[in-house]
Amino acid sequence: MNRFIIVFIFLVSAVAQADGRYPHQCTGDFDVQVNQYNSVRFDDEILLPIKVQAFREGRPCIDSLIFSAVDNGPFKLIGEGGAQLDATLLNTNRKPLPVRTVDGRRSWVVDYNGHQHLNLWLRIDAHRVITAGAYSAALVIQSKDGRNTLVDKVVDLGFYMPAIVSIQVARSHSDSVRGHGGHYQVDLGSLNDGARADWRLKVFSNSLYDVSIYSEDRALVHQQDSSSRIPYEILFDGNRFPATTTYQRSYQQSYSGKRRFDMGIVVDGVKYQRAGRYQDTVYVTVTAR
C-alpha cells in the first residue's frame, strides 16, 4: 500500500515586546537549593550551604539579590521549644555580606553581576549551646533590577541538631584519681574505717539527660579471694547510697550545657578484713533524651 503524507508549514510574523537593554525578554527568575544535610559544623558555629542559580532567561537583568526575614525584624531560626538562633549570611569566601535597609527591611545584599550561580553560607551563630532538635525559618529572596523587584520567593530552610553528651573527670580532681577519657582509677591507699576519696565530674549535654551509676561487684572485692568483700557507699550530687544499689536520675539541660557534679566514695567495715588489695568497677553513664 502506498501512503502519501502532506506536511504544511505555516510562517507567522510577530513583533516581540522586549526591553531595549536586553537581547530577549528577561524574567529575573532563579532557583534556590538549601541542603541541611551538607551543613558544616564547627565548635561554635554551623554553616548551612545555600546555592542560588539564575535561569538562563533570568540572568542578564539581575543586578542584586536581597535576602531578608519574612517580617521586618532580624533573621532568626526557631526551635521546637521556642529557642531562637541568630544567623548571618556569608559569601562564597565565608565573609559576612553587607546589611542594608531595602523596602523597609533589614536585609543582606548580594551583588549578582551576571553570575550563573552563587554558593553562599548561612552561619548559625552559637553563642550558647544549641539545644537538640529541629530548627526552621522562612527566608525571603528577591532579585532586583536596580530598585525594581523582578522575582520574590519565600524559601523554607532548617537543620536538625542531634543530641550530644559527654562526661569526664574535671581537671581539678583529687590526687587519688588518675586516668583520662572514659577510664579512671581511684586509689584509696591503705584502707581504714571512714576512708574517703572525692572528685568532680564534668557533664556536657545539649538536651535532657539521665545519669545512672552502678557498681559491678557491689562491694570492694579481694583480688585473690572473692569471698572477702568490703562494703562502701557512693556519693553523687549530694546523695549518698550503698554500692549495692543503682542510682538513676534525670537532669535538665543547663544554659551553657555544662554542669559539674561532686562525686566520691566512703569505705566502712574495714576492721578484721583479710589483708590484700581490693577493687571494684563503678560505671557512670550519661544518656541524652
Side-chain angles (χ1 to χ4, degrees):
M1 177 184 296
N2 294 327
R3 177 175 297 173
F4 298 91
I5 300 175
I6 300 176
V7 179
F8 295 92
I9 300 176
F10 297 88
L11 301 178
V12 180
S13 298
V15 178
Q17 299 297 323
D19 192 320
R21 293 176 299 169
Y22 308 114
H24 56 79
Q25 183 68 29
C26 185
T27 63
D29 201 4
F30 57 89
D31 179 56
V32 182
Q33 298 176 12
V34 182
N35 191 342
Q36 63 174 328
Y37 301 106
N38 286 339
S39 61
V40 179
R41 301 177 188 275
F42 296 97
D43 291 338
D44 58 348
E45 65 183 21
I46 294 175
L47 297 179
L48 195 65
I50 299 178
K51 181 178 181 180
V52 182
Q53 183 168 357
F55 297 125
R56 182 178 179 182
E57 64 274 15
R59 186 164 62 245
C61 55
I62 300 177
D63 292 331
S64 61
L65 294 172
I66 311 299
F67 296 76
S68 57
V70 173
D71 55 22
N72 293 333
F75 183 79
K76 294 181 180 293
L77 290 98
I78 309 300
E80 297 169 331
Q84 297 185 1
L85 299 177
D86 297 325
T88 303
L89 192 65
L90 312 179
N91 62 18
T92 302
N93 298 321
R94 298 181 182 175
K95 301 296 183 182
L97 288 162
V99 178
R100 302 170 188 163
T101 301
V102 181
D103 298 333
R105 290 178 176 172
R106 296 287 290 170
S107 308
W108 294 297
V109 180
V110 182
D111 294 326
Y112 196 73
N113 298 324
H115 294 291
Q116 182 177 357
H117 65 268
L118 288 174
N119 294 313
L120 306 174
W121 301 89
L122 187 68
R123 183 182 67 197
I124 300 167
D125 302 315
H127 302 300
R128 61 178 181 83
V129 62
I130 299 179
T131 302
Y135 293 82
S136 61
L139 187 63
V140 178
I141 306 177
Q142 298 173 314
S143 59
K144 290 274 191 178
D145 174 9
R147 294 190 175 185
N148 300 317
T149 299
L150 301 172
V151 175
D152 191 323
K153 293 187 177 183
V154 177
V155 177
D156 293 323
L157 53 85
F159 76 101
Y160 181 80
M161 187 68 183
I164 301 172
V165 292
S166 66
I167 182 172
Q168 62 182 325
V169 172
R171 291 183 178 179
S172 58
H173 58 67
S174 169
D175 292 337
S176 61
V177 182
R178 295 287 184 270
H180 60 84
H183 302 276
Y184 298 90
Q185 182 176 349
V186 180
D187 193 343
L188 293 172
S190 298
L191 284 180
N192 52 66
D193 284 347
R196 176 169 177 164
D198 297 278
W199 60 92
R200 303 186 79 185
L201 288 179
K202 183 168 62 176
V203 174
F204 172 84
S205 177
N206 67 342
S207 67
L208 301 175
Y209 59 95
D210 298 326
V211 176
S212 65
I213 304 172
Y214 73 94
S215 160
E216 183 174 65
D217 293 320
R218 299 184 175 272
L220 293 171
V221 180
H222 195 283
Q223 284 188 331
Q224 281 77 42
D225 180 8
S226 60
S227 64
S228 297
R229 304 166 66 89
I230 299 176
Y232 70 96
E233 292 182 310
I234 300 174
L235 313 172
F236 185 80
D237 192 27
N239 299 285
R240 182 168 177 164
F241 51 94
T244 54
T245 64
T246 298
Y247 175 89
Q248 188 158 359
R249 183 179 171 184
S250 298
Y251 290 89
Q252 298 285 336
Q253 172 204 346
S254 65
Y255 181 81
S256 66
K258 301 176 183 178
R259 182 169 178 176
R260 284 181 169 83
F261 295 94
D262 292 325
M263 187 174 181
I265 62 171
V266 178
V267 182
D268 286 310
V270 177
K271 291 181 179 180
Y272 309 113
Q273 293 288 351
R274 180 180 176 180
R277 190 166 184 83
Y278 291 76
Q279 67 180 28
D280 185 24
T281 301
V282 173
Y283 296 90
V284 181
T285 304
V286 180
T287 306
R289 289 193 290 118

